[in-house]
Amino acid sequence: MTVLRNPVIRGFAPDPSLVRVGDWYYVATSSFEWFPTIPIHRSRDLAHWEYAGHVRGAVPGDSLAGVPDSGGVWAPSLSWDGERFWVVYSVVRSVGTPYFDLDTYVSTAVSAAGPWTPPRRVASHGFDPALFHGEDGRLWLLNMQSDHRPGGRRFAGIVLTELDRETLVPVGETRLLLQHERLVEGPKLLRRGDWYYLVLAEGGTGFEHGVLVARSRALTGPYELDDRPLLTTRDDPKVPLQKAGHAELVETPGGEWFLSHLAARPLQTPDGPRCPLGRETAVQAVVWDEEEWPRLRHGGHHPAVEVDVPTKAFVPQEAPDDGGLEWPWSTLRGPVDPSWADTEARPGWIRLRGRHGPESHWAHSLLARRITEHGAEAEVTVEARPRSFTEAAGLVLWYNTEAYLALDLTWAEPEGEEQRGQQWQGGGRTVLSLVERDEGGIRQVAVAEVGAEGPVTLGVGVEDGAARFWYDTGGARTPIGPPLDFTKLSDDHGSKLRFTGALAGIHAVDLVKGAFTADFAGFRLICQEQ
């Protein structure tokens, strides 16, 4: 046996959808406003996972410009019909309103690495869709429905619609399978023996999250609910893996059963637990009790950190070449493009052309990588010549447009002069500006003057929930500013819905001409597993 250690896909990797194809297991996860859209990982033993590609072209027009934070691609569901992969997912364009304003799409591919077919829109009752491939060759779409009307329930039950396999047009009427007094979503349907099982996400995706199972002798119901959750941590805040939920069952070639699910590793703060790493992917072993309900193999309903899994020979494969600036790099609301991210202009460097500011939902020139552990270090060398306070480039710790920390090389007025716009026409100073952004606004917490010539190395260390920035102009590391609260870069800070995770990266801004460039070299992100 092999012992896996949860989370198996660490850092921002929520809503895992697990499927087995032969001896390989594949997991697709939500990408929200980030590109690459719908990352897919694969494993032969459920313990060791590698990037296997993504659903390229998942968003029509390859653009999520304008979508709000935590909008975009929600909860993809991956399946296999014996010949090809299918993925169904929703593109959500409104967050925190009665209307989700979403479109649900289906795409297929022979290989998880693609190419994927252009997305085709299907019935869009609500987010968290899934497909069920019947043994008779019929295709069914599961979804949750939302009632946007005043007094309506945003989570109004699970519905089922048959689709024509070729046209994806609905066949017959949509059927209501289940309603529940608790919030249920994320339906996954499987058949085992004479039973159809509905695996449901329950209680929302925060600390009340869980997995509930229902079953029926008939595909269209009625479904009876299990009298206890299959998985949850809502009853014990001391469990290391919190927020456990949004699950999918899979059978191994040897007849064993496992469950993929999301979970989060909180840091304790004076304001309560926070999970800056986001929601991550975990795997549990499952057995079936004498009444044919699924149960965690180790007993109870809390997720285990260590799980025994069947041993398979695992030789990591070379990750797909997505062009050098894609995975593990991620970009906001659109794919990486040489018009603003160039690796050829200066060999060994990444040249970013500044575009909108960091709070733009349209065109922020940002390249970032997922932070996977609570202890992390990031650094990069930047060379640029900002001539205005509207030009900046540097190192960022990013959650979203209302939660980030940035150490930027930029321009400022001569020392002692008040801040009154651009008055000096080429005068002023080249400075490093450290800013903190949260729901209360943006604050400049430190400024340090640096020489206008030559590169500067920027860095940050994250430990015990604090981020400590530094810079080096060629001599030694110099701390800048006080320790900043890294835990604000989490789902759990603020009052708005948040669903992603913290990343570290580089960015450039030019609010006036869109022509300012900055060159970056030696980016590294080291995360220490704890």
Side-chain angles (χ1 to χ4, degrees):
M1 300 294 286
T2 298
V3 177
L4 69 77
R5 183 171 178 81
N6 283 313
V8 292
I9 304 175
R10 304 170 85 84
F12 166 36
D15 308 322
S17 177
L18 174 66
V19 64
R20 179 176 65 84
V21 179
D23 289 333
W24 284 97
Y25 301 91
Y26 295 86
V27 158
T29 54
S30 292
S31 48
F32 295 95
E33 66 264 41
W34 290 95
F35 282 67
T37 46
I38 313 180
I40 297 175
H41 287 74
R42 69 177 185 176
S43 173
R44 286 178 58 87
D45 61 2
L46 295 168
H48 304 91
W49 293 83
E50 63 188 11
Y51 176 67
H54 71 279
V55 182
R56 188 183 297 273
V59 177
D62 251 357
S63 175
L64 288 171
V67 302
D69 293 332
S70 291
V73 180
W74 285 21
S77 181
L78 192 65
S79 57
W80 172 257
D81 69 356
E83 296 180 352
R84 54 182 170 161
F85 289 96
W86 295 66
V87 66
V88 59
Y89 54 93
S90 293
V91 176
V92 177
R93 299 187 182 275
S94 297
V95 178
T97 76
Y99 303 88
F100 291 105
D101 295 319
L102 59 83
D103 298 290
T104 297
Y105 296 100
V106 170
S107 182
T108 65
V110 174
S111 166
W116 290 85
T117 61
R120 290 188 287 171
R121 191 182 188 278
V122 296
S124 302
H125 293 279
F127 56 83
D128 286 8
L131 294 174
F132 176 72
H133 302 274
E135 295 173 357
D136 54 4
R138 296 164 76 181
L139 180 67
W140 302 83
L141 172 68
L142 290 125
N143 222 322
M144 53 82 66
Q145 65 175 345
S146 175
D147 188 343
H148 64 270
R149 298 171 297 177
R153 298 183 64 183
R154 299 190 72 193
F155 298 84
I158 305 301
V159 297
L160 181 72
T161 308
E162 185 176 2
L163 302 179
D164 181 277
R165 285 184 64 87
E166 299 303 321
T167 66
L168 301 184
V169 171
V171 177
E173 298 296 322
T174 295
R175 298 170 170 89
L176 177 65
L177 296 188
L178 179 80
Q179 288 181 319
H180 188 41
E181 64 272 10
R182 288 184 66 90
L183 181 160
V184 290
E185 55 188 326
K188 302 291 190 297
L189 184 62
L190 67 101
R191 185 170 185 180
R192 180 178 181 271
D194 294 330
W195 290 103
Y196 292 91
Y197 290 89
L198 264 179
V199 181
L200 303 165
E202 181 191 24
T205 196
F207 289 97
E208 292 296 308
H209 207 17
V211 179
L212 186 63
V213 178
R215 69 183 182 184
S216 173
R217 297 286 188 184
L219 173 64
T220 56
Y223 281 82
E224 62 171 320
L225 286 164
D226 194 0
D227 61 3
R228 54 187 166 118
L230 171 57
L231 178 75
T232 189
T233 52
R234 69 172 69 100
D235 60 328
D236 189 350
K238 296 181 181 179
V239 176
L241 300 176
Q242 289 289 311
K243 301 185 179 180
H246 199 104
E248 189 156 12
L249 285 160
V250 70
E251 186 178 13
T252 71
E256 298 176 86
W257 286 83
F258 288 87
L259 183 84
S260 65
H261 67 96
L262 67 80
R265 292 174 285 162
L267 288 174
Q268 300 303 320
T269 79
D271 297 307
R274 291 178 180 168
C275 306
L277 305 181
R279 297 166 301 150
E280 309 171 277
T281 293
V283 171
Q284 304 296 325
V286 168
V287 295
W288 298 85
D289 70 12
E290 63 280 0
E291 296 181 356
E292 298 188 70
W293 287 105
R295 307 293 179 207
L296 296 182
R297 186 177 65 191
H298 61 268
H301 54 254
H302 294 158
V305 173
E306 294 187 344
V307 179
D308 290 336
V309 294
T311 297
K312 291 281 186 181
F314 184 85
V315 179
Q317 304 295 307
E318 185 175 350
D321 183 359
D322 283 328
L325 286 182
E326 292 202 26
W327 194 267
W329 290 110
S330 289
T331 56
L332 279 172
R333 296 178 172 84
V336 68
D337 189 281
S339 68
W340 61 266
D342 185 1
T343 57
E344 297 182 0
R346 185 178 180 183
W349 294 69
I350 300 170
R351 176 164 293 173
L352 295 186
R353 177 177 62 84
R355 297 184 295 164
H356 292 182
E359 298 181 24
S360 170
H361 290 172
W362 299 87
H364 180 195
S365 296
L366 169 70
L367 286 169
R369 296 184 180 186
R370 287 156 170 79
I371 298 174
T372 60
E373 304 296 338
H374 291 132
E377 295 181 3
E379 70 175 63
V380 70
T381 297
V382 59
E383 188 168 6
R385 301 290 182 270
R387 303 298 184 187
S388 163
F389 63 89
T390 60
E391 300 173 351
L395 177 69
V396 293
L397 296 182
W398 184 269
Y399 182 86
N400 66 15
T401 61
E402 292 188 350
Y404 60 86
L405 309 173
L407 180 58
D408 286 333
L409 190 68
T410 187
W411 177 98
E413 291 84 357
E415 188 171 6
E417 297 282 357
E418 63 179 304
Q419 183 175 305
R420 294 178 59 192
Q422 186 95 5
Q423 303 178 63
W424 292 273
Q425 298 298 315
R429 302 173 293 156
T430 300
V431 299
L432 288 172
S433 171
L434 178 62
V435 299
E436 177 183 36
R437 174 66 159 100
D438 60 24
E439 286 189 327
I442 189 167
R443 295 172 296 282
Q444 185 179 64
V445 295
V447 176
E449 185 169 351
V450 293
E453 303 297 327
V456 57
T457 299
L458 312 177
V460 63
V462 176
E463 187 176 7
D464 298 327
R468 295 171 171 85
F469 284 84
W470 55 268
Y471 67 96
D472 184 348
T473 56
R477 292 185 177 185
T478 302
I480 181 170
L484 301 178
D485 189 351
F486 176 67
T487 70
K488 289 183 178 181
L489 310 187
S490 75
D491 294 357
D492 315 299
H493 175 71
S495 59
K496 297 182 180 180
L497 293 173
R498 291 175 160 190
F499 300 127
T500 57
L503 298 90
I506 56 177
H507 76 153
V509 171
D510 184 346
L511 301 177
V512 176
K513 297 180 181 179
F516 164 73
T517 62
D519 292 346
F520 296 86
F523 180 87
R524 69 183 185 98
L525 172 62
I526 299 174
C527 301
Q528 297 97 24
E529 185 172 337
Q530 298 173 337

